[in-house]
Amino acid sequence: RMKVNCPTVIICPGNGCSSIRESNWYGAMFRILTDKKIPCICEDFPDPLHARRDRWIPFIRSLAENHSSRDLSNVILVGHSSGAQAALRYSETYSVHG
């Protein structure tokens, strides 16, 4: 049987969230996924008030590099509001699982 690497989920919040696990649905989603043994990253993003592309895209890439297997495209980005825009911008440059 072939071993399948479960993709790492990265939650990309909307701007204005300085403690994302306490904001909106992000913390609940993180708990649900980790309870199911699905790797999930739910960390505060830099520049939370302005969500600047030059800060968020490299930050998402660093999360993928630090938390994924050797295959950096084995990530699923879940974005909300400006986090969805950042996820789309990231996928313009880098491959993603979903």
Side-chain angles (χ1 to χ4, degrees):
R1 238 166 94 152
M2 184 189 313
K3 183 179 176 184
V4 177
N5 262 349
C6 186
T8 299
V9 175
I10 300 175
I11 299 173
C12 304
N15 65 333
C17 297
S18 58
S19 178
I20 73 167
R21 287 196 192 174
E22 305 301 319
S23 301
N24 297 316
W25 45 264
Y26 314 131
M29 181 176 192
F30 174 79
R31 286 187 297 280
I32 291 166
L33 293 175
T34 55
D35 286 349
K36 295 178 183 285
K37 308 294 186 227
I38 297 170
C40 183
I41 301 167
C42 185
E43 295 185 10
D44 292 342
F45 275 45
D47 191 35
L49 295 179
H50 302 289
R52 291 181 184 99
R53 179 182 186 158
D54 65 336
R55 296 192 183 144
W56 277 32
I57 303 308
F59 181 73
I60 295 169
R61 185 64 174 178
S62 72
L63 293 175
E65 290 172 347
N66 293 328
H67 296 281
S68 296
S69 62
R70 289 181 214 149
D71 180 6
L72 295 180
S73 68
N74 198 27
V75 295
I76 295 174
L77 303 177
V78 177
H80 169 243
S81 191
S82 55
Q85 184 178 22
L88 290 171
R89 287 180 171 172
Y90 180 91
S91 65
E92 290 175 338
T93 303
Y94 302 106
S95 296
V96 294
H97 188 81

